[in-house]
Amino acid sequence: MEDWGMFVLKEKFKPIKDGLKEWHKMHSQNLGERIKTSKAVLNKLEIKEQNEGLSCKEIEEKRENADELYKFSNLNCSIQRQKSRIKWLKEGDANTKFFHGCINRRRRINEIVHLDINGKKVEKVDDMKKAIFDHFQQQLLARNSCSMDANLNFHQISEAEKEELVKEFTVEEIRRAVWD
């Protein structure tokens, strides 16, 4: 009889599995292209900000785009990490040389050898750190600040609703949720 319950449970999980597969396709498909698009829009807004400044709407768009880029990058990183683990589980240590080669190649590509600041080539690490710090300090200064209404009234929940949120689940509620 217990075997029958496990079969029923397995059958109930099938639509969830299919739904999760579909969700994964929708949210991680063309991830590289979505990252490129977000970077392009963000770059365009940063150039406009340097040249003529941004409106409040554009500042909000820039913030949302940066959040989107961060989310897409993290998702891509997570997917790549999972894929590498799957490959390592299949191939074991035989694949270590490949991964070291990938890491070393990425380091070479991402290495900053020098910076060009106002036509002057900066190569020393300390000078590069200072230049980068100065650049971002300028970028993060509040040039165009948007005003926000300080009289925001938030709806608060009652004490009964608060208690309901932290109440522990009963065995009956768990059983009903699993078998429904």
Side-chain angles (χ1 to χ4, degrees), residues 100-113:
H100 281 284
C102 289
I103 291 168
N104 290 333
R105 180 179 175 274
R106 186 174 184 155
R107 277 192 190 137
R108 282 191 305 272
I109 290 171
N110 290 338
E111 183 180 20
I112 299 174
V113 180

Side-chain angles (χ1 to χ4, degrees), residues 33-110:
E33 194 62 37
R34 292 162 88 183
I35 289 172
K36 282 181 185 177
T37 304
S38 290
K39 281 182 181 179
V41 170
L42 196 58
N43 191 28
K44 183 184 80 168
L45 287 171
E46 286 178 351
I47 290 171
K48 183 177 182 188
E49 182 181 30
Q50 284 179 347
N51 294 336
E52 58 197 59
L54 297 176
S55 67
C56 290
K57 183 181 175 185
E58 290 171 325
I59 290 172
E60 183 64 23
E61 181 184 350
K62 180 181 172 188
R63 187 191 61 75
E64 288 173 359
N65 215 287
D67 290 344
E68 193 175 85
L69 178 61
Y70 180 76
K71 182 183 77 172
F72 289 153
S73 295
N74 278 346
L75 181 60
N76 189 36
C77 188
S78 174
I79 290 170
Q80 295 304 322
R81 187 179 305 118
Q82 289 174 20
K83 285 181 180 179
S84 71
R85 286 182 180 158
I86 290 170
K87 194 168 186 176
W88 189 86
L89 285 173
K90 286 181 182 175
E91 298 179 15
D93 285 335
N95 214 17
T96 304
K97 183 177 178 182
F98 169 74
F99 286 115
H100 281 284
C102 289
I103 291 168
N104 290 333
R105 180 179 175 274
R106 186 174 184 155
R107 277 192 190 137
R108 282 191 305 272
I109 290 171
N110 290 338

Side-chain angles (χ1 to χ4, degrees), residues 156-173:
Q156 294 187 354
I157 61 175
S158 67
E159 288 298 320
E161 290 171 321
K162 287 180 187 176
E163 289 176 16
E164 187 69 27
L165 287 172
V166 295
K167 183 176 82 172
E168 295 209 13
F169 295 108
T170 64
V171 174
E172 182 58 35
E173 287 175 319

Side-chain angles (χ1 to χ4, degrees), residues 100-129:
H100 281 284
C102 289
I103 291 168
N104 290 333
R105 180 179 175 274
R106 186 174 184 155
R107 277 192 190 137
R108 282 191 305 272
I109 290 171
N110 290 338
E111 183 180 20
I112 299 174
V113 180
H114 69 276
L115 295 174
D116 183 30
I117 300 170
N118 299 328
K120 182 181 174 192
K121 196 174 191 179
V122 177
E123 293 181 2
K124 292 184 181 176
V125 175
D126 291 333
D127 294 339
M128 284 196 282
K129 284 181 184 178

